[in-house]
Amino acid sequence: MKIAIPLDENKKDVCVTFGRAPYFLFAQDGKQEILENPAAQAQGGAGIKAAQFLVDQDAEVLLTVRCGQNANEVFQAAGLKVYQTQGTDALENVSAFTEGKLAELTHFHAGFQGIQ
């Protein structure tokens, strides 16, 4: 199962913004890969663009602090599940997810429309 997590500039902490996170960590089968988020500097629609990026990377799960409704619609169409992170360390959240300790995210905000 391929797990995606938005990362801060330090490339280890979960970023509190999904669409404008500088990086994404992808974890699968004990291996990790960090990729730049191509949507981070988008003029608008960063959440939708970031969501499509995750789908294009074949992510099956997103672990995040919060997420917008438009991005969630992309995830629903692709069958990607969204879970809420606990704490800031990305790899600890991967472990928590695999141990069944993270709850599925149920509240999706309307979006920030370019506000960071």
Side-chain angles (χ1 to χ4, degrees), residues 10-32:
N10 68 9
K11 298 183 181 179
K12 73 176 209 112
D13 291 335
V14 178
C15 187
V16 296
T17 60
F18 164 70
R20 297 198 182 276
Y23 303 98
F24 282 102
L25 167 70
F26 294 94
Q28 184 177 24
D29 299 327
K31 298 175 186 168
Q32 295 91 31

Side-chain angles (χ1 to χ4, degrees), residues 14-90:
V14 178
C15 187
V16 296
T17 60
F18 164 70
R20 297 198 182 276
Y23 303 98
F24 282 102
L25 167 70
F26 294 94
Q28 184 177 24
D29 299 327
K31 298 175 186 168
Q32 295 91 31
E33 178 180 26
I34 296 174
L35 298 177
E36 285 189 39
N37 176 8
Q41 301 301 321
Q43 290 290 333
I48 294 171
K49 291 173 184 170
Q52 188 59 54
F53 175 67
L54 298 189
V55 171
D56 292 346
Q57 294 298 316
D58 298 321
E60 299 167 81
V61 171
L62 168 65
L63 309 181
T64 187
V65 174
R66 62 181 177 222
C67 183
Q69 182 59 44
N70 291 337
N72 185 52
E73 289 175 9
V74 173
F75 296 142
Q76 286 180 335
L80 191 149
K81 298 287 186 184
V82 183
Y83 290 82
Q84 190 163 30
T85 55
Q86 298 175 348
T88 59
D89 187 275

